[in-house]
């Protein structure tokens, strides 16, 4: 078990990549705070982890709100004793469309969740990690942050901000034995796929996106979870400030 004795928060863990990360962490021995805005989805994931012998608790929260991060940290410590790992996975996008059609409300929502969510996470957990003398933060960015394409301009920009802020946090908090890394998934089959494509998730529409991925398939929650597992584990003790593309070669 690669995370035996560790405690992790996974945001947006009610579906998609976050669900895969939460299940994998629990299977590897971590106690997991399963966070989501969608109560039914998050409760389902936490219950299924518990049914298979893992340790998990659902904690409702909107990552764009400071007080919800405080609750996540409090719940991790009160239920499981301490906190070792935060995976900032919750994210959203505007639909794939021309820049001039993206509204202010869509822009604000994307930045509130994808960027400000990590601002609040850092403001909440870094003082705790500094006091403890150790901590791991993993931020789920995207290939969109390093290889942007038309139609997702402000989503691309939000993930670029996540990548740069993660590297800067790695530099600032390294002396406190806190590691900060990113995982950059290529398009996968999740709740956001149709929004990313801007068209229905049909085989014909997927073909265009598949053509740009040398390994010839979309990413899966297990692909992303496996990368997070490595970065969260002590095997990655000397890895910080890295943005790991999990993309089947998309960014080559
Ligand atoms: N699916 C892809 O193709 C893809 C590619 C690259 C990066 N990503 C990133 O992966 C991450 C996970 O997305 P996914 O694809 O699994 O999508 P998803 O919609 O399946 O899962 C996202 C989860 O986050 C939750 N969520 C949304 N806003 C929230 C908030 N404010 N507070 C708490 N929870 C919230 C949703 O309820 C949902 O359960 C996101 O950061 C996304 O940008 C996805």
């Amino acid at each position: 078990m690669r995370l035996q004795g560790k405690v992790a928060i996974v945001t947006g863990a009610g579906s998609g990549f976050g669900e895969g990360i939460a299940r994998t962490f629990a299977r590897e021995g971590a106690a997991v705070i399963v966070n989501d805005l969608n109560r039914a989805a998050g409760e389902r994931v936490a219950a299924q982890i518990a049914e298979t012998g893992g340790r998990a608790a659902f904690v409702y929260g909107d990552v764009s709100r400071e007080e919800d991060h405080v609750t996540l940290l409090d719940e991790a410590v009160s239920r499981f004793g301490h906190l070792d790992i935060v995976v900032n996975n919750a994210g959203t996008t505007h639909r794939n469309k021309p820049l001039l059609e993206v509204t202010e409300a869509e822009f604000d929502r994307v930045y509130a969740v994808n960027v400000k969510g990590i601002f609040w996470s850092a403001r909440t957990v870094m003082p705790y990690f500094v006091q403890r003398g150790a901590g791991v933060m993993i931020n789920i960015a995207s290939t969109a942050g390093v290889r942007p394409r038309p139609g997702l301009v402000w989503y691309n920009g939000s993930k670029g901000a996540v990548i740069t802020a993660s590297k800067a946090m790695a530099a600032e908090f390294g002396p406190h034995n806190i590691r900060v890394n990113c995982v950059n998934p290529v398009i996968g089959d999740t709740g956001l796929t149709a929004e990313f494509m801007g068209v229905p998730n049909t085989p014909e529409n997927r073909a265009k996106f598949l053509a740009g991925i040398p390994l010839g398939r979309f990413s899966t929650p297990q692909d992303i979870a496996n990368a997070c597992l490595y970065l969260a584990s002590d095997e990655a003790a000397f890895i910080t400030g890295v943005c790991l593309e999990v993309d089947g070669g998309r960014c080559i």
Side-chain angles (χ1 to χ4, degrees), residues 163-233:
I163 290 167
T164 302
S166 298
K167 288 177 188 258
M169 283 193 279
E172 188 162 323
F173 289 98
H176 297 282
N177 192 32
I178 297 167
R179 298 188 294 109
V180 183
N181 292 293
C182 279
V183 169
N184 291 343
V186 77
I187 192 164
D189 263 320
T190 71
L192 291 175
T193 311
E195 292 293 288
F196 286 134
M197 298 200 306
V199 288
N201 185 1
T202 61
E204 301 73 46
N205 290 333
R206 291 163 64 94
K208 185 179 122 199
F209 292 87
L210 281 171
I213 304 174
L215 286 180
R217 65 171 176 82
F218 282 15
S219 67
T220 66
Q222 194 62 60
D223 292 322
I224 307 311
N226 290 343
C228 291
L229 174 60
Y230 168 64
L231 291 171
S233 75

Side-chain angles (χ1 to χ4, degrees), residues 21-211:
I21 296 163
R23 287 178 183 278
T24 299
F25 279 22
R27 191 192 70 214
E28 292 294 332
V32 182
I33 296 289
V34 173
N35 155 262
D36 210 284
L37 258 186
N38 182 330
R39 207 175 275 278
E43 282 173 349
R44 174 186 58 82
V45 172
Q48 287 174 351
I49 289 172
E51 277 162 25
T52 53
R55 289 193 301 157
F58 170 69
V59 178
Y60 172 85
D62 178 342
V63 299
S64 67
R65 294 162 52 91
E66 179 182 20
E67 55 269 40
D68 292 1
H69 287 275
V70 173
T71 302
L72 291 176
L73 175 59
D74 288 349
E75 291 283 338
V77 173
S78 65
R79 286 170 189 258
F80 300 124
H82 60 276
L83 177 71
D84 303 285
I85 303 157
V86 175
V87 183
N88 287 308
N89 163 79
T92 192
T93 186
H94 56 84
R95 193 167 178 80
N96 189 318
K97 58 184 173 181
L99 173 147
L100 295 178
E101 292 175 19
V102 177
T103 66
E104 182 183 9
E106 288 172 322
F107 175 94
D108 286 346
R109 184 69 192 149
V110 168
Y111 278 74
V113 177
N114 295 4
V115 183
K116 202 168 186 185
I118 294 177
F119 169 80
W120 287 132
S121 172
R123 297 257 303 190
T124 307
V125 302
M126 288 308 186
Y128 174 84
F129 284 162
V130 167
Q131 192 187 23
R132 202 170 144 76
V136 174
M137 177 183 280
I138 299 170
N139 296 324
I140 306 302
S142 173
T143 55
V146 287
R147 196 122 192 277
R149 284 290 173 271
L152 288 171
V153 169
W154 299 116
Y155 174 77
N156 298 335
S158 75
K159 294 301 189 177
V162 171
I163 290 167
T164 302
S166 298
K167 288 177 188 258
M169 283 193 279
E172 188 162 323
F173 289 98
H176 297 282
N177 192 32
I178 297 167
R179 298 188 294 109
V180 183
N181 292 293
C182 279
V183 169
N184 291 343
V186 77
I187 192 164
D189 263 320
T190 71
L192 291 175
T193 311
E195 292 293 288
F196 286 134
M197 298 200 306
V199 288
N201 185 1
T202 61
E204 301 73 46
N205 290 333
R206 291 163 64 94
K208 185 179 122 199
F209 292 87
L210 281 171

